[in-house]
Amino acid sequence: MSVATTNQRRRRRIRDANLPYQLATLVVFAAAWEIYARVSGGLLIPSFTETAVATVELLGTAELWRAVYVSNQALVLGFGAAVVIGIPVGILLGRFRLLERYLDVYLNILLITPMAAIIPLLVMSVGFGLASRVILVAVFAIVMVVVNARTGVRQVDPALIEMARSFGASERQIWTRILLPGALPAIMTGIRLGIGRAITGMVIVELLMVSTALGGLILEYRGLFKAPLLYGTIVIILAEAILLISVARWGERKLTRWAETTTARSAK
């Protein structure tokens, strides 16, 4: 049996072993929620069972799926733009320090600026349409993509680059065989973290800028004091986020399997 096969089986056993603990945690959380809601929840905090029933009801309505479709338009376009722009920018910043001197200040601004403060500027410049929602989602996500791509390039051992040059490797070969493969794990991590930020931006822009789609449903159910439907909508948004992050994590494992094998061998 090879070392790689043994490591894969070990990781699979660890993941399988974590599942019962995760289910037990969910059961404890649901029980605590149910007890608290029945004892002192009142009108604004539904019980876990009421929320579960409302979530199932929502999944059977056309209104929810229209809202999901509209919201995910901004999510797909905005996150796609963040990935297409953020990965090359992060790689270039990690490779060329001079370029980083000019752009690092703007990256820091994006890191520390409250994104909600950008919404009035978007409304004044591009209006209330899809374009403003896409831009805000992209701004939310692109920081994580750029920072992790830059970190991935910098984590590549400089000795590997010098050794490649000593053997006559061209700049293109250094990029394709050393820098990009070495930075790939960090890039995938940035994509996974960026998805979470993109979903946050998607909801915030709909809550603060224009009452539409999933954000509009949240505001509607809150105004009508329909707490189970409000919580059910939030549960659906969280479920979508968990699903997308899980897909990104799966892709990260598939594309960076060689990195895990290398780490395991180094540990030995």
Side-chain angles (χ1 to χ4, degrees):
M1 184 181 299
S2 65
V3 175
T5 303
T6 303
N7 291 333
Q8 290 177 3
R9 291 186 176 181
R10 186 183 299 115
R11 289 194 298 270
R12 189 178 300 112
R13 286 197 299 268
I14 293 174
R15 290 195 297 268
D16 294 341
N18 288 335
L19 182 60
Y21 295 102
Q22 294 171 354
L23 294 176
T25 303
L26 178 61
V27 170
V28 171
F29 173 76
W33 181 357
E34 185 77 20
I35 293 172
Y36 177 79
R38 292 185 179 277
V39 172
S40 59
L43 177 65
L44 300 179
I45 303 180
S47 65
F48 177 82
T49 53
E50 290 174 335
T51 301
V53 171
T55 302
V56 174
E57 292 178 357
L58 278 171
L59 291 174
T61 62
E63 183 183 20
L64 172 73
W65 293 109
R66 283 195 298 267
V68 170
Y69 172 74
V70 173
S71 293
N72 280 272
Q73 283 181 321
L75 177 65
V76 171
L77 294 176
F79 181 68
V83 171
V84 171
I85 298 173
I87 291 178
V89 170
I91 291 174
L92 292 175
L93 290 178
R95 178 61 173 157
F96 303 109
R97 296 299 179 97
L98 180 61
L99 181 62
E100 183 185 19
R101 292 179 182 177
Y102 292 102
L103 298 182
D104 189 60
V105 61
Y106 302 105
L107 186 61
N108 290 331
I109 290 174
L110 289 177
L111 284 170
I112 65 175
T113 300
M115 293 302 169
I118 301 178
I119 292 179
L121 301 178
L122 290 176
V123 172
M124 294 173 62
S125 58
V126 296
F128 290 94
L130 178 62
S132 57
R133 295 191 291 125
V134 169
I135 292 172
L136 190 67
V137 170
V139 170
F140 259 84
I142 197 169
V143 177
M144 290 297 171
V145 178
V146 172
V147 170
N148 281 274
R150 181 182 64 177
T151 302
V153 173
R154 288 184 176 175
Q155 286 178 345
V156 176
D157 190 353
L160 295 176
I161 300 176
E162 294 299 326
M163 182 173 62
R165 283 177 175 168
S166 66
F167 281 96
S170 63
E171 185 68 19
R172 178 184 176 183
Q173 290 173 325
I174 291 174
W175 276 96
T176 57
R177 299 187 181 183
I178 298 177
L179 288 176
L180 294 181
L184 185 58
I187 291 174
M188 295 302 300
T189 299
I191 291 175
R192 176 164 50 84
L193 296 176
I195 289 176
R197 293 267 298 181
I199 293 175
T200 301
M202 176 190 75
V203 176
I204 286 179
V205 71
E206 293 173 357
L207 289 175
L208 300 182
M209 187 178 75
V210 54
S211 299
T212 184
L214 292 173
L217 289 181
I218 292 175
L219 294 175
E220 177 185 349
Y221 295 145
R222 185 192 66 179
L224 297 175
F225 294 98
K226 296 182 178 180
L229 293 175
L230 171 62
Y231 277 65
T233 304
I234 296 173
V235 167
I236 291 170
I237 294 173
L238 293 176
E240 180 183 3
I242 293 173
L243 176 62
L244 293 177
I245 291 175
S246 299
V247 171
R249 194 186 301 275
W250 175 83
E252 181 180 356
R253 288 198 301 266
K254 290 295 183 180
L255 293 175
T256 61
R257 186 177 299 172
W258 58 269
E260 296 179 358
T261 304
T262 303
T263 303
R265 290 178 178 175
S266 301
K268 292 184 177 182

